[in-house]
Amino acid sequence: FFGSTFFFLTGVSDLFRSGYESASKHFNPADVEVNVAGRCFLVTGANSGIGKATAKEIARRGGTVHLVCRSKERAEVAKGEIVTETGNPNIFLHIVDISNPKEIWKFAEKFKNEHKLNVLINNAGCMVNNRELTEDGLEKNFATNTLGTYILTTALLPLLQKEADARVITVSSGGMLVQKLNISDLQSGNGTFDGTMVYAQNKRQQVVLTEQWAKAHRNIHFSVMHPGWADTPAVRSSMPDFYQKMKNNLRTEAQGADTVVWLAVSTEATKLPSGLFFQDRQPVPTHLPLASTHSPSEDEEKLMEMLEEFSQKFKSTSPG
C-alpha cells in the first residue's frame, strides 16, 4: 500500500486488529472510565467511521458533543443513532464542509458566540485519488486535510484558551512516515498526481502543525494520532484494493477510535508532553529509523506562515 519498505519498517501487523488486541492488553480500563458531563467536544467528520465511533464514546461518558459534518442527511442519521444508543440528548449538529475555508471561518465565528469548547477533535479527512479542485481553486486533499484543519483549529483557539484542560486532537495516519514535509508544492500541482502520497504528505503536515501549535500555545494540550488500519467507509471507498485484500484483518471503528477517546477524556493523556504522535495510547516516533524525512525547522515555520496567509485570504471582513 505505502510500499513494501513501509510495511517492513513499521512492524505493520501492529496497525491491524491483531496489533490493537495485543496493545490493549496493557491498557488501563480506568483511564477512560470517566464522566465528562459538562465538558464540550467538537468532532469533525462525525457522521461515520472513526469520527462517529469517537462521538458515541464521548456521548456515553456524558459529554456534550458537537458533530461537524458535510452531509445533512447522513449527519441526522448519525446523530439519531448516537442519542438512541447512549441516551445522551446533548448532541448538536453543524453542517460544514471542511474543504471550504470561508464556510469554516463563518461557522467558527458563530460557534464562538454560542458555545464553549473544551476539546477539538480534527477527524475529517479525505483521500481523493485524482487531482480535483474545490470551488476556491484549492486542491481537494490539501483543502480538507491541511488547510481545513489549520483554519478550524486557529479560529477556535480563543475559545479553547478560556477553558481549563483544553485539548486538540488530530487524526493523522502512519502513512505520513513515508513523506518528508514538502512546502514547495502544497497543492500537488507538479509532476504525476498520486492521491495516496498526497494524503500522506497532508498527514505529515498535520504532525508538523501539532508540534508547532504545542510550542505556541502552552495552555492547550495538542496531540496527533494514528488509528491503525480500520474498517471505515473512507478506507472502503478510497483504497478498495487494499480493503479487499485486508478486510478480515482490519480494526473495528471503535478500535480505531480508542486512542482518540483516550486522548480526549483521560487524565493520563495530559500527563504526557503536548505535541506528541500516538498509536494505541502510546507516543511513537514521527520518523522511521534511518528515514530521511526530517525537515529543517525553518520549513516547519514556513508551513505555518503559508497556511496563515492562505487562511486570511478566505476570512470575511464583513461583520456578521
Side-chain angles (χ1 to χ4, degrees), residues 120-134:
L120 167 62
I121 297 168
N122 290 310
N123 163 72
C126 69
M127 188 196 290
V128 180
N129 290 314
N130 299 304
R131 192 169 188 276
E132 274 179 41
L133 299 183
T134 66

Side-chain angles (χ1 to χ4, degrees), residues 248-262:
N248 298 329
N249 302 311
L250 297 176
R251 297 175 173 211
T252 63
E253 293 174 346
Q255 289 171 341
D258 174 81
T259 295
V260 190
V261 175
W262 181 81

Side-chain angles (χ1 to χ4, degrees), residues 170-320:
T170 300
V171 178
S172 177
S173 162
M176 67 93 195
L177 290 164
V178 301
Q179 285 281 315
K180 176 182 180 172
L181 178 66
N182 174 11
I183 54 169
S184 68
D185 187 20
L186 287 182
Q187 304 211 55
S188 316
N190 306 334
T192 317
F193 186 90
D194 177 339
T196 309
M197 286 304 155
V198 171
Y199 176 81
Q201 172 65 217
N202 296 162
K203 295 292 160 178
R204 167 64 70 192
Q205 291 160 359
Q206 291 179 339
V207 169
V208 173
L209 287 180
T210 299
E211 293 169 347
Q212 294 294 315
W213 282 327
K215 283 184 205 162
H217 307 283
R218 302 284 182 179
N219 60 337
I220 298 173
H221 193 271
F222 292 88
S223 52
V224 57
M225 60 76 70
H226 179 29
W229 303 127
D231 187 347
T232 62
V235 167
R236 276 170 247 158
S237 64
S238 55
M239 307 191 292
D241 299 350
F242 170 76
Y243 175 73
Q244 280 310 324
K245 274 197 201 90
M246 296 298 181
K247 59 184 176 190
N248 298 329
N249 302 311
L250 297 176
R251 297 175 173 211
T252 63
E253 293 174 346
Q255 289 171 341
D258 174 81
T259 295
V260 190
V261 175
W262 181 81
L263 287 165
V265 306
S266 82
T267 52
E268 291 309 299
T270 50
K271 290 177 185 172
L272 291 157
S274 182
L276 298 178
F277 181 63
F278 287 83
Q279 181 187 315
D280 291 333
R281 303 191 189 183
Q282 289 291 323
V284 291
T286 54
H287 299 277
L288 293 172
L290 311 178
S292 49
T293 51
H294 294 267
S295 46
S297 56
E298 46 271 30
D299 280 10
E300 299 183 350
E301 285 154 24
K302 180 75 178 150
L303 173 69
M304 302 305 273
E305 283 167 29
M306 291 166 86
L307 292 176
E308 184 55 27
E309 245 167 74
F310 264 117
S311 75
Q312 290 302 326
K313 272 187 206 154
F314 296 103
K315 192 174 182 180
S316 157
T317 44
S318 63

